[in-house]
Amino acid sequence: MPIKRLTDTLSVAPQISEGDLAALAAQGFRSVINNRPDGEAGDQPASAVLAAAAARAGLVYRDIPVISGQLQDAQVAAFGKALAELPAPVLAFCRTGTRSTTLWALDAVRARPVADVVHTAAQAGYDLDALRPRLEQARQAGRS
């Protein structure tokens, strides 16, 4: 499972499996955020299965599902709240890691310049250039 580090406290990854959770705990992760809705793909484990495996591995688990292409401001707020509350380091995942990175970016621009956030995402392999207008809008809203 390829893990991409965005910050000192947050990394993102594509879909994880039930068996990955013990390995994530062994790597030092303390929390996991699932950004993928149940049933998106036939081979995807259900959130309840992952939550139970996370608990067995000693990880805190949070489910913030986002339908691809339908990310809402409430989900960004929930993601930011989770990052503030959950023990770090945190691993967030979805199908490819892009939704998790987008959630982070839309929350992060409240405190960081858009160019810095886009650059950080690009270094991790996620191109958020098409999201710049929404990031700029989120930045302005966060400064109000």
Side-chain angles (χ1 to χ4, degrees):
M1 137 193 50
I3 296 173
K4 308 286 179 97
R5 184 174 157 180
L6 293 176
T7 71
D8 290 342
T9 59
L10 177 66
S11 296
V12 296
Q15 179 67 55
I16 63 172
S17 70
E18 183 179 358
D20 291 330
L21 288 153
L24 290 169
Q27 290 175 41
F29 287 99
R30 296 181 60 210
S31 303
V32 174
I33 301 173
N34 179 358
N35 296 129
R36 197 164 187 203
D38 277 348
E40 190 174 68
D43 61 347
Q44 157 192 357
S47 182
V49 170
L50 294 174
R56 287 192 301 274
L59 295 167
V60 179
Y61 182 89
R62 184 82 49 100
D63 188 36
I64 306 171
V66 175
I67 296 171
S68 185
Q70 297 181 33
L71 193 144
Q72 304 295 315
D73 291 341
Q75 294 160 322
V76 174
F79 191 83
K81 183 177 184 216
L83 291 180
E85 293 174 352
L86 294 173
V90 176
L91 178 83
F93 74 92
C94 55
R95 187 180 69 78
T96 65
T98 302
R99 275 174 274 186
S100 298
T101 301
T102 300
L103 285 162
W104 164 78
L106 286 165
D107 180 64
V109 294
R110 293 180 308 136
R112 296 172 61 179
V114 170
D116 180 41
V117 169
V118 170
H119 177 72
T120 298
Q123 285 187 308
Y126 298 98
D127 181 359
L128 299 184
D129 276 331
L131 190 64
R132 275 185 190 269
R134 187 164 178 190
L135 291 169
E136 291 289 353
Q137 186 179 38
R139 172 97 172 135
Q140 290 306 315
R143 298 173 104 193
S144 308

